[in-house]
Each structure stands twice: as C-alpha cells, then as structure tokens.
Amino acid sequence: MLSPEELEQFHTQGFLFLKDALTATQLQRLTEQFDLWKEQSRSQTAPYGETIDGRPRFDIEPGHCAERPALRRIASPIEISDVYLEVMRDNRALDAVVDIFGPNIKFENAKINSKLPGAATQVKFHQDFLFEAHTNDDMITVLFFLDDVTPENGPLQVIPGTHKGRLYDHWHDGIFTGAVSDEVMEAMTPLAESCFGPAGSACLMHTRLLHGSGPNLSQGPRTLFICEYLAEDSYPLHDNHIPSQYQYEVVRGEPTGRVRCSEYEMAFPEMPTGASFFEQQAKKQ
Ligand SMILES: O=C(O)CCC(=O)C(=O)O
C-alpha cells in the first residue's frame, strides 16, 4: 500500500506520516470510549485499575482533579475495550507495516498517551528499543492521532535518521531514567521535526528512532492510541513492559517457527513498577 517514495522515506528517515490510518467510524468509536474513561477519571485521586502484572492501568498526572482531569496514560486498553482490540488487530497502518517489515507481523503492546489541556505531560527523548530488547529490531511504533495534532498541543518530535545510528544509554549513574542523557538531548533538540496532522492520521516510527514530545500548550486535548508491532521472527529477550493477554499475537501473515537475530549491544531496561514510564522518566540523571 505504500508508494516506493514512502517506503524510501521510512527507511532513510525512520518515520512516516500516514493520513487516514483510521476509518471515520474507528476514530469516532475510539474517541467515544476514551471520553468515557476521561469522565470516570474525574473521581480518582491516584493511579487506578489493574493490569495483568498488577500495576495501575490508568495513570494520572500530579495535579489531576475533577475540574481539570489529567489522565495521561492507559496501559493496554485493548484488554478492556472491544473497539481498541479490533483496531489493534486491523487498521490501515498495519497494511503499511506489512510493506515495511512483512509479510508476517506480530503485536507487541498498546497504550494511550493523552495530554489534556493544561496538563504538563512531557516525554523526554528516548528510543523505544531501549525498553524492549528483541532478537532483531524490525519493530515499529504506530501512533494513531485521536485528536488533531498541532504544533501547539505537544506533537511527537522525532530526530530523522537516528534509527540508523547508535543505541543511546538510558541508564545514568545506576538509574534507569528511560531517556537519553541531558547532553544528547541538548545536541539533538535543534534537529527535531514535529509530526502533526488531522485526527485519524498516524505516525509510524522505527523502534530505534530518537523521539520525545513537549507539553500541550493549547486549549484542546492531544490523545494518541499507540500500538507496537514487530516482524514475526523477532523474539523478546525480557518481559514486556506493557504485558497483555494478546502480546505476540500474529496479526498479519502466519507463524514461521523461525527466529532472526541482528547484532547490537545494550543494557537491559528496568521494568517499571509504577503505572507508566513517566515515573521512570521523572527520575533525575
Ligand atoms: O505521547 C507522546 O508524545 C510520545 C509517546 C512516546 O514516545 C512513548 O510513550 O514512548
């Protein structure tokens, strides 16, 4: 489904913007469900719910209150919502993933990241692969836009081409901060490109691409449904940091019974104990 130019863009830049990655019906149903979760969060004062590894499923930003809800993360929404599960299993971006790493594709994990108006949520620069060592790195993060993403509402920022470069340390002075060092961040920030567009679009990102995002400075929300997929012959080397009953389900093609290994070296990540990686990223370097 991708043109040769789009494939080339993904392979050279490490990311691709895809318009209409969701149908209008998918977008509407995903948004309606998220709005329900947001309303329910108003009565909560601390992270709540439970994932299969016993951590809170719903994460709220410090300062969250009934009048100004700041629900910032839902881990594995596919386990508590049929529509999120259906979309994870079948969407237009998945056809693009097949073009990139197919024909056989597995699912790894899913989450929602939301920046409600006035919430200070920021994502420090990191590479997803440093949270998820696998035998090979044919892995992709698909970020579906459930709202219009604009330059003001904290869009994803990527550093083009960094998926071909080194794996940066995410441990600093014995602490897993889930982010690159301040020095790397300073050097890379001027090279960042923002990924924005209308609701229903998606950004596809290579697992090694350096990326982050700033706070939402607008009056509207910025909510992403994020799914990670990988080549079927890539196998995990440690626990999934967002485990689910659907992890490693083959969503396109078929199981091959083969494993493929690529050469790289990195430190294992630390498994989060809190509701999300925001807690790890809040640690000082
Ligand atoms: O929510 C965002 O802007 C970025 C998401 C991200 O990088 C992550 O959750 O790993």
Side-chain angles (χ1 to χ4, degrees), residues 182-202:
D182 291 344
E183 294 73 42
V184 173
M185 187 130 156
E186 229 165 81
M188 291 293 177
T189 303
L191 310 175
E193 276 185 26
S194 293
C195 212
F196 49 84
S201 320

PDB file of all heavy atoms in Angstrom, residues 182-202:
ATOM      1  N   ASP A 182      21.222  14.346  29.280  1.00  0.00           N
ATOM      2  CA  ASP A 182      20.948  15.765  29.008  1.00  0.00           C
ATOM      3  C   ASP A 182      21.810  16.271  27.851  1.00  0.00           C
ATOM      4  O   ASP A 182      21.367  17.085  27.045  1.00  0.00           O
ATOM      5  CB  ASP A 182      21.237  16.605  30.259  1.00  0.00           C
ATOM      6  CG  ASP A 182      20.221  16.323  31.357  1.00  0.00           C
ATOM      7  OD1 ASP A 182      19.162  15.737  31.043  1.00  0.00           O
ATOM      8  OD2 ASP A 182      20.502  16.665  32.524  1.00  0.00           O
ATOM      9  N   GLU A 183      23.054  15.768  27.779  1.00  0.00           N
ATOM     10  CA  GLU A 183      23.973  16.221  26.709  1.00  0.00           C
ATOM     11  C   GLU A 183      23.438  15.807  25.336  1.00  0.00           C
ATOM     12  O   GLU A 183      23.427  16.609  24.396  1.00  0.00           O
ATOM     13  CB  GLU A 183      25.386  15.627  26.896  1.00  0.00           C
ATOM     14  CG  GLU A 183      26.149  16.098  28.124  1.00  0.00           C
ATOM     15  CD  GLU A 183      25.609  15.511  29.425  1.00  0.00           C
ATOM     16  OE1 GLU A 183      25.298  14.301  29.441  1.00  0.00           O
ATOM     17  OE2 GLU A 183      25.479  16.259  30.419  1.00  0.00           O
ATOM     18  N   VAL A 184      22.999  14.539  25.244  1.00  0.00           N
ATOM     19  CA  VAL A 184      22.471  14.054  23.951  1.00  0.00           C
ATOM     20  C   VAL A 184      21.215  14.849  23.603  1.00  0.00           C
ATOM     21  O   VAL A 184      21.006  15.293  22.478  1.00  0.00           O
ATOM     22  CB  VAL A 184      22.175  12.534  24.007  1.00  0.00           C
ATOM     23  CG1 VAL A 184      21.463  12.059  22.745  1.00  0.00           C
ATOM     24  CG2 VAL A 184      23.460  11.747  24.221  1.00  0.00           C
ATOM     25  N   MET A 185      20.387  15.057  24.611  1.00  0.00           N
ATOM     26  CA  MET A 185      19.129  15.786  24.402  1.00  0.00           C
ATOM     27  C   MET A 185      19.411  17.199  23.856  1.00  0.00           C
ATOM     28  O   MET A 185      18.779  17.652  22.895  1.00  0.00           O
ATOM     29  CB  MET A 185      18.410  15.885  25.746  1.00  0.00           C
ATOM     30  CG  MET A 185      17.064  16.459  25.645  1.00  0.00           C
ATOM     31  SD  MET A 185      15.956  15.358  26.504  1.00  0.00           S
ATOM     32  CE  MET A 185      14.666  16.482  26.886  1.00  0.00           C
ATOM     33  N   GLU A 186      20.383  17.867  24.465  1.00  0.00           N
ATOM     34  CA  GLU A 186      20.732  19.229  24.045  1.00  0.00           C
ATOM     35  C   GLU A 186      21.248  19.253  22.606  1.00  0.00           C
ATOM     36  O   GLU A 186      20.887  20.117  21.818  1.00  0.00           O
ATOM     37  CB  GLU A 186      21.849  19.740  24.955  1.00  0.00           C
ATOM     38  CG  GLU A 186      21.568  21.107  25.519  1.00  0.00           C
ATOM     39  CD  GLU A 186      22.525  21.371  26.664  1.00  0.00           C
ATOM     40  OE1 GLU A 186      23.671  21.743  26.371  1.00  0.00           O
ATOM     41  OE2 GLU A 186      22.118  21.137  27.824  1.00  0.00           O
ATOM     42  N   ALA A 187      22.072  18.239  22.282  1.00  0.00           N
ATOM     43  CA  ALA A 187      22.654  18.197  20.939  1.00  0.00           C
ATOM     44  C   ALA A 187      21.596  17.876  19.885  1.00  0.00           C
ATOM     45  O   ALA A 187      21.659  18.360  18.754  1.00  0.00           O
ATOM     46  CB  ALA A 187      23.766  17.142  20.892  1.00  0.00           C
ATOM     47  N   MET A 188      20.616  17.060  20.257  1.00  0.00           N
ATOM     48  CA  MET A 188      19.634  16.577  19.282  1.00  0.00           C
ATOM     49  C   MET A 188      18.429  17.510  19.101  1.00  0.00           C
ATOM     50  O   MET A 188      17.830  17.553  18.031  1.00  0.00           O
ATOM     51  CB  MET A 188      19.123  15.193  19.708  1.00  0.00           C
ATOM     52  CG  MET A 188      20.168  14.120  19.593  1.00  0.00           C
ATOM     53  SD  MET A 188      20.576  13.865  17.832  1.00  0.00           S
ATOM     54  CE  MET A 188      21.867  12.651  17.968  1.00  0.00           C
ATOM     55  N   THR A 189      18.068  18.241  20.163  1.00  0.00           N
ATOM     56  CA  THR A 189      16.844  19.056  20.110  1.00  0.00           C
ATOM     57  C   THR A 189      16.760  19.965  18.869  1.00  0.00           C
ATOM     58  O   THR A 189      15.703  20.037  18.237  1.00  0.00           O
ATOM     59  CB  THR A 189      16.673  19.862  21.411  1.00  0.00           C
ATOM     60  OG1 THR A 189      16.670  18.908  22.487  1.00  0.00           O
ATOM     61  CG2 THR A 189      15.380  20.638  21.447  1.00  0.00           C
ATOM     62  N   PRO A 190      17.858  20.639  18.468  1.00  0.00           N
ATOM     63  CA  PRO A 190      17.737  21.508  17.282  1.00  0.00           C
ATOM     64  C   PRO A 190      17.416  20.743  15.997  1.00  0.00           C
ATOM     65  O   PRO A 190      16.991  21.346  15.006  1.00  0.00           O
ATOM     66  CB  PRO A 190      19.125  22.159  17.165  1.00  0.00           C
ATOM     67  CG  PRO A 190      19.801  21.929  18.472  1.00  0.00           C
ATOM     68  CD  PRO A 190      19.200  20.714  19.083  1.00  0.00           C
ATOM     69  N   LEU A 191      17.623  19.426  16.002  1.00  0.00           N
ATOM     70  CA  LEU A 191      17.386  18.633  14.784  1.00  0.00           C
ATOM     71  C   LEU A 191      15.972  18.044  14.732  1.00  0.00           C
ATOM     72  O   LEU A 191      15.609  17.361  13.775  1.00  0.00           O
ATOM     73  CB  LEU A 191      18.394  17.473  14.700  1.00  0.00           C
ATOM     74  CG  LEU A 191      19.876  17.820  14.880  1.00  0.00           C
ATOM     75  CD1 LEU A 191      20.724  16.553  14.890  1.00  0.00           C
ATOM     76  CD2 LEU A 191      20.328  18.748  13.748  1.00  0.00           C
ATOM     77  N   ALA A 192      15.174  18.328  15.782  1.00  0.00           N
ATOM     78  CA  ALA A 192      13.862  17.673  15.894  1.00  0.00           C
ATOM     79  C   ALA A 192      12.856  18.172  14.852  1.00  0.00           C
ATOM     80  O   ALA A 192      12.822  19.358  14.519  1.00  0.00           O
ATOM     81  CB  ALA A 192      13.300  17.894  17.297  1.00  0.00           C
ATOM     82  N   GLU A 193      12.062  17.236  14.361  1.00  0.00           N
ATOM     83  CA  GLU A 193      10.944  17.575  13.453  1.00  0.00           C
ATOM     84  C   GLU A 193       9.647  17.157  14.115  1.00  0.00           C
ATOM     85  O   GLU A 193       9.574  16.065  14.683  1.00  0.00           O
ATOM     86  CB  GLU A 193      11.067  16.790  12.142  1.00  0.00           C
ATOM     87  CG  GLU A 193      11.988  17.441  11.157  1.00  0.00           C
ATOM     88  CD  GLU A 193      12.007  16.719   9.806  1.00  0.00           C
ATOM     89  OE1 GLU A 193      11.018  16.057   9.433  1.00  0.00           O
ATOM     90  OE2 GLU A 193      13.059  16.815   9.162  1.00  0.00           O
ATOM     91  N   SER A 194       8.636  18.011  14.034  1.00  0.00           N
ATOM     92  CA  SER A 194       7.341  17.679  14.657  1.00  0.00           C
ATOM     93  C   SER A 194       6.471  16.908  13.693  1.00  0.00           C
ATOM     94  O   SER A 194       6.499  17.148  12.490  1.00  0.00           O
ATOM     95  CB  SER A 194       6.609  18.956  15.059  1.00  0.00           C
ATOM     96  OG  SER A 194       7.313  19.581  16.087  1.00  0.00           O
ATOM     97  N   CYS A 195       5.689  15.999  14.250  1.00  0.00           N
ATOM     98  CA  CYS A 195       4.815  15.144  13.445  1.00  0.00           C
ATOM     99  C   CYS A 195       3.382  15.513  13.788  1.00  0.00           C
ATOM    100  O   CYS A 195       2.907  15.161  14.866  1.00  0.00           O
ATOM    101  CB  CYS A 195       5.105  13.699  13.847  1.00  0.00           C
ATOM    102  SG  CYS A 195       4.921  12.538  12.540  1.00  0.00           S
ATOM    103  N   PHE A 196       2.718  16.302  12.937  1.00  0.00           N
ATOM    104  CA  PHE A 196       1.342  16.679  13.255  1.00  0.00           C
ATOM    105  C   PHE A 196       0.414  16.489  12.062  1.00  0.00           C
ATOM    106  O   PHE A 196       0.867  16.291  10.937  1.00  0.00           O
ATOM    107  CB  PHE A 196       1.275  18.109  13.811  1.00  0.00           C
ATOM    108  CG  PHE A 196       2.008  19.120  12.988  1.00  0.00           C
ATOM    109  CD1 PHE A 196       1.424  19.703  11.891  1.00  0.00           C
ATOM    110  CD2 PHE A 196       3.312  19.490  13.318  1.00  0.00           C
ATOM    111  CE1 PHE A 196       2.114  20.629  11.131  1.00  0.00           C
ATOM    112  CE2 PHE A 196       4.011  20.421  12.571  1.00  0.00           C
ATOM    113  CZ  PHE A 196       3.395  20.992  11.470  1.00  0.00           C
ATOM    114  N   GLY A 197      -0.882  16.504  12.329  1.00  0.00           N
ATOM    115  CA  GLY A 197      -1.858  16.288  11.259  1.00  0.00           C
ATOM    116  C   GLY A 197      -3.227  16.026  11.860  1.00  0.00           C
ATOM    117  O   GLY A 197      -3.394  16.015  13.077  1.00  0.00           O
ATOM    118  N   PRO A 198      -4.214  15.818  10.985  1.00  0.00           N
ATOM    119  CA  PRO A 198      -5.589  15.661  11.479  1.00  0.00           C
ATOM    120  C   PRO A 198      -5.840  14.360  12.230  1.00  0.00           C
ATOM    121  O   PRO A 198      -5.133  13.362  12.015  1.00  0.00           O
ATOM    122  CB  PRO A 198      -6.428  15.698  10.189  1.00  0.00           C
ATOM    123  CG  PRO A 198      -5.499  15.376   9.086  1.00  0.00           C
ATOM    124  CD  PRO A 198      -4.113  15.768   9.526  1.00  0.00           C
ATOM    125  N   ALA A 199      -6.858  14.376  13.066  1.00  0.00           N
ATOM    126  CA  ALA A 199      -7.292  13.153  13.778  1.00  0.00           C
ATOM    127  C   ALA A 199      -7.560  12.067  12.746  1.00  0.00           C
ATOM    128  O   ALA A 199      -8.058  12.341  11.652  1.00  0.00           O
ATOM    129  CB  ALA A 199      -8.561  13.460  14.566  1.00  0.00           C
ATOM    130  N   GLY A 200      -7.188  10.838  13.090  1.00  0.00           N
ATOM    131  CA  GLY A 200      -7.358   9.709  12.160  1.00  0.00           C
ATOM    132  C   GLY A 200      -6.070   9.369  11.435  1.00  0.00           C
ATOM    133  O   GLY A 200      -5.953   8.311  10.832  1.00  0.00           O
ATOM    134  N   SER A 201      -5.083  10.284  11.481  1.00  0.00           N
ATOM    135  CA  SER A 201      -3.774  10.005  10.864  1.00  0.00           C
ATOM    136  C   SER A 201      -2.944   9.190  11.844  1.00  0.00           C
ATOM    137  O   SER A 201      -3.330   8.968  12.994  1.00  0.00           O
ATOM    138  CB  SER A 201      -2.986  11.296  10.588  1.00  0.00           C
ATOM    139  OG  SER A 201      -3.787  12.310  10.127  1.00  0.00           O
ATOM    140  N   ALA A 202      -1.754   8.780  11.378  1.00  0.00           N
ATOM    141  CA  ALA A 202      -0.832   8.081  12.275  1.00  0.00           C
ATOM    142  C   ALA A 202       0.596   8.437  11.896  1.00  0.00           C
ATOM    143  O   ALA A 202       0.876   8.833  10.757  1.00  0.00           O
ATOM    144  CB  ALA A 202      -1.014   6.568  12.174  1.00  0.00           C
TER     145      ALA A 202
END
